[in-house]
Protein backbone atom coordinates (compact mmCIF):
# COMPACT_ATOMS: atom_id res chain seq x y z
CA UNK A 1 0.00 0.00 0.00
CA UNK A 2 1.43 3.37 -1.08
CA UNK A 3 0.30 6.70 0.32
CA UNK A 4 0.67 9.77 -1.91
CA UNK A 5 0.49 13.20 -0.25
CA UNK A 6 0.36 16.15 -2.63
CA UNK A 7 -0.71 19.74 -3.11
CA UNK A 8 -3.24 21.16 -5.59
CA UNK A 9 -3.05 19.88 -9.19
CA UNK A 10 -5.78 17.21 -9.52
CA UNK A 11 -3.88 15.60 -12.41
CA UNK A 12 -1.68 14.06 -9.72
CA UNK A 13 -4.71 12.07 -8.54
CA UNK A 14 -4.89 10.33 -11.90
CA UNK A 15 -1.13 10.06 -12.53
CA UNK A 16 -0.29 8.69 -9.08
CA UNK A 17 -3.16 6.19 -9.12
CA UNK A 18 -2.20 4.90 -12.55
CA UNK A 19 1.45 4.43 -11.60
CA UNK A 20 0.59 2.63 -8.36
CA UNK A 21 -1.88 0.29 -10.03
CA UNK A 22 0.52 -0.44 -12.89
CA UNK A 23 3.12 -1.48 -10.31
CA UNK A 24 0.61 -3.74 -8.54
CA UNK A 25 0.02 -1.56 -5.47
CA UNK A 26 -3.01 -0.19 -3.66
CA UNK A 27 -2.96 3.58 -3.12
CA UNK A 28 -4.20 6.05 -0.50
CA UNK A 29 -4.38 9.61 -1.83
CA UNK A 30 -4.37 12.81 0.16
CA UNK A 31 -4.58 15.98 -1.92
CA UNK A 32 -4.60 19.62 -0.93
CA UNK A 33 -7.61 21.77 -0.09
CA UNK A 34 -7.37 23.79 -3.31
CA UNK A 35 -8.76 20.96 -5.48
CA UNK A 36 -10.43 18.63 -2.98
CA UNK A 37 -13.72 18.33 -4.90
CA UNK A 38 -11.96 17.56 -8.18
CA UNK A 39 -9.67 15.07 -6.45
CA UNK A 40 -12.58 13.27 -4.78
CA UNK A 41 -14.53 13.10 -8.06
CA UNK A 42 -11.56 11.76 -10.01
CA UNK A 43 -10.67 9.19 -7.37
CA UNK A 44 -14.29 8.02 -7.20
CA UNK A 45 -14.44 7.59 -10.99
CA UNK A 46 -11.23 5.56 -11.10
CA UNK A 47 -12.20 3.43 -8.10
CA UNK A 48 -15.65 2.64 -9.52
CA UNK A 49 -14.18 1.76 -12.92
CA UNK A 50 -11.59 -0.46 -11.25
CA UNK A 51 -14.19 -2.31 -9.22
CA UNK A 52 -16.27 -2.96 -12.34
CA UNK A 53 -13.13 -4.43 -13.92
CA UNK A 54 -12.63 -6.79 -10.96
CA UNK A 55 -10.28 -4.75 -8.78
CA UNK A 56 -10.82 -5.30 -5.03
CA UNK A 57 -12.88 -2.62 -3.31
CA UNK A 58 -10.68 -0.21 -1.38
CA UNK A 59 -7.67 -0.55 -3.70
CA UNK A 60 -7.97 3.19 -4.41
CA UNK A 61 -8.84 5.46 -1.50
CA UNK A 62 -8.98 9.23 -1.22
CA UNK A 63 -8.74 10.97 2.15
CA UNK A 64 -11.61 13.51 2.23
CA UNK A 65 -10.08 15.72 4.94
CA UNK A 66 -7.50 18.37 4.12
CA UNK A 67 -6.30 19.31 7.61
CA UNK A 68 -2.75 18.62 8.73
CA UNK A 69 -4.07 16.26 11.40
CA UNK A 70 -5.06 13.74 8.72
CA UNK A 71 -1.50 13.68 7.38
CA UNK A 72 0.00 13.25 10.85
CA UNK A 73 -2.33 10.32 11.53
CA UNK A 74 -1.53 8.65 8.19
CA UNK A 75 2.20 8.88 8.81
CA UNK A 76 1.84 6.86 12.00
CA UNK A 77 -0.08 4.00 10.32
CA UNK A 78 2.89 1.86 9.31
CA UNK A 79 0.88 -1.29 10.00
CA UNK A 80 -1.26 -0.42 6.95
CA UNK A 81 0.96 1.76 4.74
CA UNK A 82 4.20 0.36 3.32
CA UNK A 83 5.54 3.49 1.62
CA UNK A 84 4.73 7.20 1.49
CA UNK A 85 5.57 9.59 -1.34
CA UNK A 86 5.19 13.34 -0.76
CA UNK A 87 4.79 15.47 -3.88
CA UNK A 88 5.08 19.17 -3.36
CA UNK A 89 7.26 21.88 -1.93
CA UNK A 90 10.16 21.52 0.46
CA UNK A 91 8.07 22.30 3.53
CA UNK A 92 5.63 19.47 2.80
CA UNK A 93 8.41 17.01 2.06
CA UNK A 94 10.38 17.85 5.19
CA UNK A 95 7.25 17.53 7.33
CA UNK A 96 6.52 14.08 5.91
CA UNK A 97 10.11 12.89 6.36
CA UNK A 98 10.18 14.08 9.99
CA UNK A 99 6.88 12.40 10.94
CA UNK A 100 6.75 9.24 8.83
CA UNK A 101 7.09 5.85 10.53
CA UNK A 102 7.36 4.04 7.17
CA UNK A 103 9.86 4.44 4.29
CA UNK A 104 9.64 7.68 2.28
CA UNK A 105 10.58 8.34 -1.34
CA UNK A 106 11.35 12.03 -1.39
CA UNK A 107 12.87 14.84 -3.39
CA UNK A 108 13.72 18.41 -2.47
CA UNK A 109 14.72 20.08 -5.72
CA UNK A 110 12.31 18.79 -8.34
CA UNK A 111 14.05 15.64 -9.57
CA UNK A 112 12.24 13.94 -12.48
CA UNK A 113 12.48 10.19 -13.10
CA UNK A 114 11.54 7.77 -15.84
CA UNK A 115 11.53 4.02 -15.22
CA UNK A 116 12.44 1.93 -18.25
CA UNK A 117 11.51 -1.68 -18.99
CA UNK A 118 14.42 -3.80 -20.19
CA UNK A 119 12.80 -4.15 -23.62
CA UNK A 120 12.66 -0.38 -24.14
CA UNK A 121 15.03 1.66 -26.29
CA UNK A 122 17.07 3.61 -23.75
CA UNK A 123 17.81 6.36 -26.27
CA UNK A 124 14.07 6.84 -26.71
CA UNK A 125 13.69 7.03 -22.93
CA UNK A 126 16.30 9.77 -22.85
CA UNK A 127 14.45 11.60 -25.63
CA UNK A 128 11.28 11.56 -23.54
CA UNK A 129 12.73 12.79 -20.29
CA UNK A 130 14.85 15.53 -21.90
CA UNK A 131 11.77 17.27 -23.30
CA UNK A 132 9.66 16.77 -20.16
CA UNK A 133 8.64 20.15 -18.67
CA UNK A 134 11.01 21.24 -15.90
CA UNK A 135 13.85 18.89 -16.81
CA UNK A 136 17.33 20.33 -17.23
CA UNK A 137 18.64 18.41 -20.28
CA UNK A 138 22.20 18.90 -19.09
CA UNK A 139 21.50 17.07 -15.82
CA UNK A 140 20.15 13.72 -16.99
CA UNK A 141 21.52 10.69 -15.17
CA UNK A 142 20.83 6.98 -15.62
CA UNK A 143 20.51 4.25 -13.00
CA UNK A 144 20.24 0.52 -13.66
CA UNK A 145 19.22 -1.93 -10.93
CA UNK A 146 20.03 -5.55 -11.80
CA UNK A 147 19.29 -4.70 -15.46
CA UNK A 148 22.28 -2.38 -15.22
CA UNK A 149 23.86 -4.25 -18.10
CA UNK A 150 21.40 -2.47 -20.38
CA UNK A 151 22.23 0.81 -18.65
CA UNK A 152 25.93 0.28 -19.28
CA UNK A 153 25.30 -0.53 -22.93
CA UNK A 154 23.13 2.59 -23.43
CA UNK A 155 25.66 4.88 -21.71
CA UNK A 156 28.43 3.69 -24.02
CA UNK A 157 27.06 5.63 -26.97
CA UNK A 158 24.48 8.08 -25.60
CA UNK A 159 26.49 11.02 -24.31
CA UNK A 160 23.39 12.80 -23.03
CA UNK A 161 23.66 10.73 -19.84
CA UNK A 162 25.86 12.91 -17.63
CA UNK A 163 26.24 10.39 -14.79
CA UNK A 164 25.87 6.61 -14.80
CA UNK A 165 25.15 4.30 -11.84
CA UNK A 166 24.34 0.61 -11.47
CA UNK A 167 23.29 -1.55 -8.55
CA UNK A 168 23.91 -5.31 -8.59
CA UNK A 169 24.54 -5.20 -12.33
CA UNK A 170 23.56 -8.38 -14.16
CA UNK A 171 25.17 -9.02 -17.53
CA UNK A 172 22.21 -10.98 -18.84
CA UNK A 173 23.66 -11.91 -22.23
CA UNK A 174 26.79 -13.45 -20.79
CA UNK A 175 24.77 -15.48 -18.27
CA UNK A 176 22.38 -16.73 -20.94
CA UNK A 177 25.30 -17.65 -23.15
CA UNK A 178 27.89 -19.02 -20.72
CA UNK A 179 25.69 -19.94 -17.78
CA UNK A 180 26.04 -18.44 -14.32
CA UNK A 181 29.72 -18.28 -13.37
CA UNK A 182 30.49 -19.82 -16.78
CA UNK A 183 28.84 -23.09 -15.73
CA UNK A 184 27.28 -23.91 -19.12
CA UNK A 185 29.90 -23.05 -21.75
CA UNK A 186 29.91 -26.65 -23.01
CA UNK A 187 26.28 -26.39 -24.16
CA UNK A 188 26.31 -22.98 -25.90
CA UNK A 189 25.99 -24.35 -29.45
CA UNK A 190 23.30 -26.84 -28.44
CA UNK A 191 21.21 -24.15 -26.75
CA UNK A 192 21.58 -21.85 -29.75
CA UNK A 193 20.30 -24.61 -32.02
CA UNK A 194 17.36 -25.14 -29.67
CA UNK A 195 16.64 -21.40 -29.77
CA UNK A 196 16.61 -21.43 -33.57
CA UNK A 197 14.34 -24.47 -33.63
CA UNK A 198 11.95 -22.69 -31.27
CA UNK A 199 12.01 -19.64 -33.50
CA UNK A 200 11.12 -21.77 -36.52
CA UNK A 201 8.14 -23.21 -34.64
CA UNK A 202 6.90 -19.69 -33.85
CA UNK A 203 7.41 -18.65 -37.46
CA UNK A 204 5.22 -21.51 -38.67
CA UNK A 205 2.47 -20.65 -36.20
CA UNK A 206 3.05 -23.65 -33.96
CA UNK A 207 3.86 -23.78 -30.24
CA UNK A 208 5.83 -21.15 -28.36
CA UNK A 209 8.45 -22.83 -26.23
CA UNK A 210 9.34 -21.48 -22.80
CA UNK A 211 12.15 -22.20 -20.40
CA UNK A 212 11.37 -23.77 -17.03
CA UNK A 213 10.06 -21.37 -14.40
CA UNK A 214 12.40 -21.61 -11.42
CA UNK A 215 9.75 -20.22 -9.08
CA UNK A 216 7.49 -23.22 -9.68
CA UNK A 217 9.88 -25.75 -8.14
CA UNK A 218 9.28 -27.01 -4.56
CA UNK A 219 11.02 -25.13 -1.76
CA UNK A 220 12.97 -28.25 -0.87
CA UNK A 221 14.59 -28.16 -4.32
CA UNK A 222 15.09 -24.39 -4.30
CA UNK A 223 17.02 -24.65 -1.04
CA UNK A 224 19.50 -26.94 -2.79
CA UNK A 225 20.24 -24.55 -5.66
CA UNK A 226 24.01 -23.96 -5.90
CA UNK A 227 24.03 -20.15 -5.99
CA UNK A 228 22.84 -17.43 -3.61
CA UNK A 229 21.37 -15.52 -6.56
CA UNK A 230 18.95 -18.32 -7.40
CA UNK A 231 18.16 -19.38 -3.83
CA UNK A 232 17.44 -15.81 -2.76
CA UNK A 233 15.73 -15.06 -6.07
CA UNK A 234 13.37 -18.01 -5.70
CA UNK A 235 11.94 -16.58 -2.49
CA UNK A 236 12.13 -12.89 -3.47
CA UNK A 237 10.56 -13.19 -6.93
CA UNK A 238 8.41 -16.24 -6.29
CA UNK A 239 7.24 -15.79 -2.69
CA UNK A 240 7.82 -12.65 -0.65
CA UNK A 241 7.80 -10.05 -3.45
CA UNK A 242 6.04 -11.95 -6.25
CA UNK A 243 4.11 -9.90 -8.80
CA UNK A 244 1.02 -11.55 -10.32
CA UNK A 245 2.07 -10.52 -13.84
CA UNK A 246 5.69 -11.64 -13.51
CA UNK A 247 7.24 -14.95 -14.54
CA UNK A 248 10.69 -16.47 -14.39
CA UNK A 249 10.03 -18.23 -17.70
CA UNK A 250 11.05 -16.69 -21.01
CA UNK A 251 10.80 -17.81 -24.62
CA UNK A 252 13.50 -20.21 -25.73
CA UNK A 253 13.73 -18.34 -29.04
CA UNK A 254 14.86 -15.16 -27.25
CA UNK A 255 18.26 -16.76 -26.65
CA UNK A 256 19.07 -15.94 -30.27
CA UNK A 257 19.22 -12.27 -29.25
CA UNK A 258 20.20 -12.62 -25.61
CA UNK A 259 23.33 -14.66 -26.22
CA UNK A 260 24.85 -11.93 -28.38
CA UNK A 261 24.59 -9.27 -25.67
CA UNK A 262 27.59 -8.38 -23.51
CA UNK A 263 27.79 -5.22 -21.40
CA UNK A 264 31.59 -5.52 -21.18
CA UNK A 265 32.00 -5.00 -24.91
CA UNK A 266 32.29 -1.28 -25.54
CA UNK A 267 32.51 -0.34 -21.85
CA UNK A 268 35.60 1.73 -22.66
CA UNK A 269 33.31 4.18 -24.49
CA UNK A 270 31.79 5.39 -21.22
CA UNK A 271 33.42 8.72 -20.32
CA UNK A 272 30.86 10.03 -17.82
CA UNK A 273 31.15 9.69 -14.03
CA UNK A 274 30.45 6.05 -13.16
CA UNK A 275 29.33 4.51 -9.89
CA UNK A 276 28.90 0.73 -9.67
CA UNK A 277 27.40 -0.69 -6.45
CA UNK A 278 27.25 -4.36 -5.53
CA UNK A 279 26.99 -6.58 -2.49
CA UNK A 280 30.41 -7.67 -1.30
CA UNK A 281 29.04 -11.19 -0.68
CA UNK A 282 27.12 -11.36 -3.99
CA UNK A 283 28.03 -14.24 -6.28
CA UNK A 284 27.16 -11.87 -9.16
CA UNK A 285 29.91 -9.46 -8.15
CA UNK A 286 32.18 -10.73 -10.92
CA UNK A 287 29.90 -9.13 -13.53
CA UNK A 288 30.22 -5.69 -11.97
CA UNK A 289 33.99 -6.12 -11.59
CA UNK A 290 34.42 -7.09 -15.26
CA UNK A 291 32.54 -4.02 -16.52
CA UNK A 292 34.25 -1.71 -14.03
CA UNK A 293 37.69 -2.89 -15.17
CA UNK A 294 36.72 -2.49 -18.83
CA UNK A 295 35.39 1.07 -18.35
CA UNK A 296 38.77 2.64 -19.09
CA UNK A 297 37.31 5.73 -20.78
CA UNK A 298 36.51 7.46 -17.49
CA UNK A 299 38.83 8.18 -14.59
CA UNK A 300 35.89 9.39 -12.51
CA UNK A 301 34.61 5.97 -11.45
CA UNK A 302 33.98 4.16 -8.19
CA UNK A 303 33.25 0.55 -7.25
CA UNK A 304 31.25 0.65 -4.03
CA UNK A 305 30.76 -2.64 -2.19
CA UNK A 306 28.12 -3.19 0.49
CA UNK A 307 29.62 -5.43 3.21
CA UNK A 308 27.68 -8.63 3.85
CA UNK A 309 25.10 -8.10 1.12
CA UNK A 310 24.21 -10.65 -1.54
CA UNK A 311 22.68 -9.68 -4.90
CA UNK A 312 19.00 -9.98 -3.96
CA UNK A 313 19.53 -8.53 -0.48
CA UNK A 314 20.57 -5.19 -1.98
CA UNK A 315 16.94 -4.82 -3.16
CA UNK A 316 15.12 -5.04 0.14
CA UNK A 317 17.18 -5.47 3.34
CA UNK A 318 16.60 -2.09 5.08
CA UNK A 319 20.16 -1.50 6.31
CA UNK A 320 21.57 -2.21 2.84
CA UNK A 321 18.90 -0.18 1.03
CA UNK A 322 19.55 2.83 3.25
CA UNK A 323 23.29 2.61 2.67
CA UNK A 324 22.84 2.26 -1.09
CA UNK A 325 20.29 5.06 -1.30
CA UNK A 326 22.56 7.46 0.58
CA UNK A 327 25.41 6.63 -1.79
CA UNK A 328 23.28 7.18 -4.89
CA UNK A 329 21.94 10.48 -3.57
CA UNK A 330 25.50 11.60 -2.87
CA UNK A 331 26.71 10.52 -6.31
CA UNK A 332 23.96 12.07 -8.41
CA UNK A 333 23.90 15.16 -6.22
CA UNK A 334 27.59 15.74 -6.90
CA UNK A 335 27.75 14.72 -10.55
CA UNK A 336 24.54 16.33 -11.81
Amino acid sequence: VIAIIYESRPNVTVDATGLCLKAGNAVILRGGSEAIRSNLALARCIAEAGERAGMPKGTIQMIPWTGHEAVSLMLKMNQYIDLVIPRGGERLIRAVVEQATMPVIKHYKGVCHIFVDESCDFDRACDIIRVFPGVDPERVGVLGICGGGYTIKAAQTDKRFKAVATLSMFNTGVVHRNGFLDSATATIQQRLREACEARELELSGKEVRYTANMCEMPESEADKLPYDLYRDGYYYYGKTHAHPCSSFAYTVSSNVDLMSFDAVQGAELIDAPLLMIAGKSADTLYMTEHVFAAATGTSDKELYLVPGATHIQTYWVPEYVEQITDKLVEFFGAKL
Side-chain angles (χ1 to χ4, degrees):
V1 177
I2 298 177
I4 312 283
I5 301 172
Y6 53 101
E7 302 166 337
S8 308
R9 303 180 68 173
N11 65 291
V12 177
T13 301
V14 179
D15 295 344
T17 301
L19 289 169
C20 288
L21 293 179
K22 184 69 174 176
N25 301 293
V27 62
I28 300 175
L29 302 158
R30 192 279 187 185
S33 58
E34 302 88 346
I36 184 62
R37 292 191 179 93
S38 296
N39 287 334
L40 287 168
L42 289 168
R44 184 172 61 252
C45 288
I46 301 171
E48 290 176 355
E51 289 172 23
R52 286 198 298 270
M55 190 172 64
K57 186 174 183 179
T59 300
I60 302 168
Q61 299 183 47
M62 183 84 202
I63 304 298
W65 306 288
T66 59
H68 295 303
E69 298 80 5
V71 173
S72 298
L73 181 60
M74 283 178 63
L75 296 177
K76 292 180 173 62
M77 302 176 71
N78 57 8
Q79 72 272 40
Y80 303 115
I81 298 172
D82 300 292
L83 175 72
V84 62
I85 303 176
R87 186 191 187 283
E90 288 190 35
R91 188 170 65 176
L92 168 66
I93 295 167
R94 292 187 189 280
V96 170
V97 170
E98 290 170 0
Q99 297 180 58
T101 57
M102 65 286 290
V104 180
I105 293 180
K106 63 183 186 294
H107 70 88
Y108 286 134
K109 299 297 182 182
V111 180
C112 297
H113 302 84
I114 184 168
F115 295 91
V116 183
D117 184 80
E118 66 181 18
S119 62
C120 178
D121 176 357
F122 263 89
D123 296 328
R124 175 60 176 158
C126 191
D127 296 341
I128 293 170
I129 199 168
R130 281 174 64 86
V131 298
F132 196 83
V135 170
D136 182 346
E138 297 306 314
R139 299 179 66 203
V140 176
V142 60
L143 167 64
I145 300 175
C146 189
Y150 299 109
T151 304
I152 291 293
K153 185 58 73 175
Q156 292 173 8
T157 54
D158 197 329
K159 302 305 176 182
R160 296 175 296 176
F161 294 123
K162 304 303 182 183
V164 183
T166 66
L167 168 63
S168 297
M169 194 217 74
F170 191 80
N171 196 352
T172 186
V174 169
V175 173
H176 279 85
R177 182 173 65 249
N178 297 345
F180 191 64
L181 288 168
D182 295 334
S183 60
T185 54
T187 61
I188 292 174
Q189 298 300 333
Q190 173 190 336
R191 287 181 287 115
L192 279 172
R193 282 190 288 270
E194 291 172 353
C196 291
E197 289 171 3
R199 189 161 186 155
E200 283 295 307
L201 287 173
E202 293 176 21
L203 184 64
S204 61
K206 298 179 181 178
E207 66 174 308
V208 177
R209 291 181 178 174
Y210 292 90
T211 62
N213 187 343
M214 179 187 73
C215 293
E216 293 178 351
M217 69 172 61
E219 290 186 16
S220 57
E221 290 185 28
D223 292 337
K224 297 176 183 177
L225 291 169
Y227 306 115
D228 288 339
L229 174 68
Y230 295 135
R231 288 194 301 271
D232 291 353
Y234 171 84
Y235 288 99
Y236 181 84
Y237 291 113
K239 305 294 182 183
T240 60
H241 294 75
H243 191 286
C245 298
S246 179
S247 171
F248 243 65
Y250 58 92
T251 58
V252 174
S253 62
S254 62
N255 272 331
V256 173
D257 296 317
L258 286 168
M259 286 193 181
S260 65
F261 180 88
D262 187 352
V264 174
Q265 294 178 358
E268 71 279 0
L269 296 174
I270 297 175
D271 59 358
L274 174 65
L275 171 65
M276 302 192 75
I277 304 175
K280 193 169 183 178
S281 298
D283 46 17
T284 56
L285 175 57
Y286 73 100
M287 300 184 217
T288 291
E289 291 176 330
H290 288 173
V291 170
F292 187 80
T296 56
T298 179
S299 58
D300 187 357
K301 62 178 183 176
E302 180 181 359
L303 175 59
Y304 183 80
L305 301 181
V306 183
T310 63
H311 183 107
I312 299 294
Q313 288 174 344
T314 62
Y315 300 168
W316 69 273
V317 175
E319 62 181 284
Y320 299 147
V321 172
E322 182 176 1
Q323 185 177 344
I324 291 162
T325 303
D326 289 345
K327 186 64 180 178
L328 288 169
V329 170
E330 173 191 324
F331 172 73
F332 284 116
K335 305 305 179 183
L336 297 178

